[in-house]
Amino acid sequence: MPRVALFTTCLVDGLFPDVGRATVRLLERLGQPVGFPLEQTCCGQMHTNSGYFETDLVRRYVRVFAGYDAVVVPSASCTGSIRHQHAQIARAAGDERLAAQAEAVAGRTYELSEFLIDVLGVEDVGAYFPHRVAYHPTCHSLRIARVGDRPLRLLRNVRGIRLAELPNWDQCCGFGGTFAMKNPDVSAAMLADKMEEVIETGAEVLCAGDRSCLMHIGGGLERVRAGVRTLHLAEILASTESGHRASERAPRAEVLR
């Protein structure tokens, strides 16, 4: 049994902890114990993309995760940063030893769907999710981490799910991290297109492997009251029939008037 750690990412840790919990719940259900090193922090992508090479963040990632056989990341964006930026940052600082260490740990770092399919060899995780779902493949999942169709292969094996094809599925939602802040008008126009396409599918839920893009799209959908929820891939894959039944039996909250 490989020694596996969860790198939860700073966005999930700070804003969307349910994604981290769902990832652990899913892996443990598949018989894979997961460690969570408390010293972990940001991968440094937002700094690097803005021109600030933070060698200390690379050094911390290497130190915290060097002892693990695999690191699972519920984010293609952060996975891509670790694989393609960490060694580059170390070399820019003239630290070839750190660059070699960063490459070694990056080689054992997997986006969640990669780990499930390529390492555990599982495509049917025993999930149950009786809803109409549209899947948005994020830019970094397609072009940097290159997870391909792995998330869809996992979703197709979820019992009860009804997958709706998203028009122009390979087009950016407009988030791009700091891009949305530096180019707000362009970002908003791209978001409007993506929202229209999501609504066209008639989906109840929009799913993706990056909570950052879901935050961007979900915020727009909520503002127009589209009635479409956003859920990370891990949250759908961690869902079970018994969990749904328990939810249905749970008492409704009383509405005070």
Side-chain angles (χ1 to χ4, degrees), residues 133-143 151-152 155 164 166-175 194 197-198 205-210 213-214 217:
V133 176
Y135 170 68
H136 168 62
T138 64
C139 294
H140 282 184
S141 74
L142 289 174
R143 301 174 180 91
L152 277 172
L155 288 170
L166 185 66
N168 299 312
W169 53 268
D170 60 344
Q171 292 186 9
C172 180
C173 71
F175 180 61
K194 184 63 66 174
E197 290 157 1
V198 171
V205 174
L206 177 68
C207 169
D210 279 289
C213 296
L214 287 176
I217 304 170

Side-chain angles (χ1 to χ4, degrees), residues 105-215:
V105 179
R108 301 193 300 273
T109 298
Y110 300 88
E111 183 270 340
L112 176 60
S113 69
E114 290 180 320
F115 184 77
L116 292 171
I117 291 178
D118 299 350
V119 179
L120 296 186
V122 177
E123 292 196 21
D124 186 344
V125 300
Y128 174 78
F129 194 75
H131 302 283
R132 185 172 175 84
V133 176
Y135 170 68
H136 168 62
T138 64
C139 294
H140 282 184
S141 74
L142 289 174
R143 301 174 180 91
I144 305 297
R146 297 185 181 277
V147 304
D149 68 345
R150 291 178 184 85
L152 277 172
R153 285 156 63 186
L154 292 161
L155 288 170
R156 288 181 186 126
N157 283 293
V158 174
R159 275 171 281 284
I161 200 168
R162 302 184 304 282
L163 286 174
E165 185 173 350
L166 185 66
N168 299 312
W169 53 268
D170 60 344
Q171 292 186 9
C172 180
C173 71
F175 180 61
T178 56
F179 174 85
M181 292 180 276
K182 295 176 180 177
N183 305 275
D185 293 338
V186 177
S187 174
M190 295 169 74
L191 172 62
D193 289 343
K194 184 63 66 174
M195 287 165 51
E196 182 177 352
E197 290 157 1
V198 171
I199 293 168
E200 281 179 9
T201 67
E204 302 167 69
V205 174
L206 177 68
C207 169
D210 279 289
R211 204 60 189 81
S212 52
C213 296
L214 287 176
M215 177 178 66

Side-chain angles (χ1 to χ4, degrees), residues 24-84:
V24 172
R25 194 164 64 248
L26 169 63
L27 293 175
E28 289 184 344
R29 192 176 77 219
L30 295 173
Q32 176 59 66
V34 188
F36 184 78
L38 295 178
E39 290 183 87
Q40 64 180 277
T41 185
C42 180
C43 69
Q45 179 184 174
M46 58 183 175
H47 308 78
T48 306
N49 292 350
S50 297
Y52 299 99
F53 282 19
E54 295 291 343
T55 312
D56 287 345
L57 288 176
V58 176
R59 190 170 288 111
R60 176 183 286 266
Y61 186 85
V62 167
R63 175 171 54 81
V64 169
F65 293 106
Y68 289 91
D69 300 310
V71 184
V72 180
V73 189
S75 166
S77 184
C78 295
T79 302
S81 173
I82 292 160
R83 289 180 184 165
H84 296 280

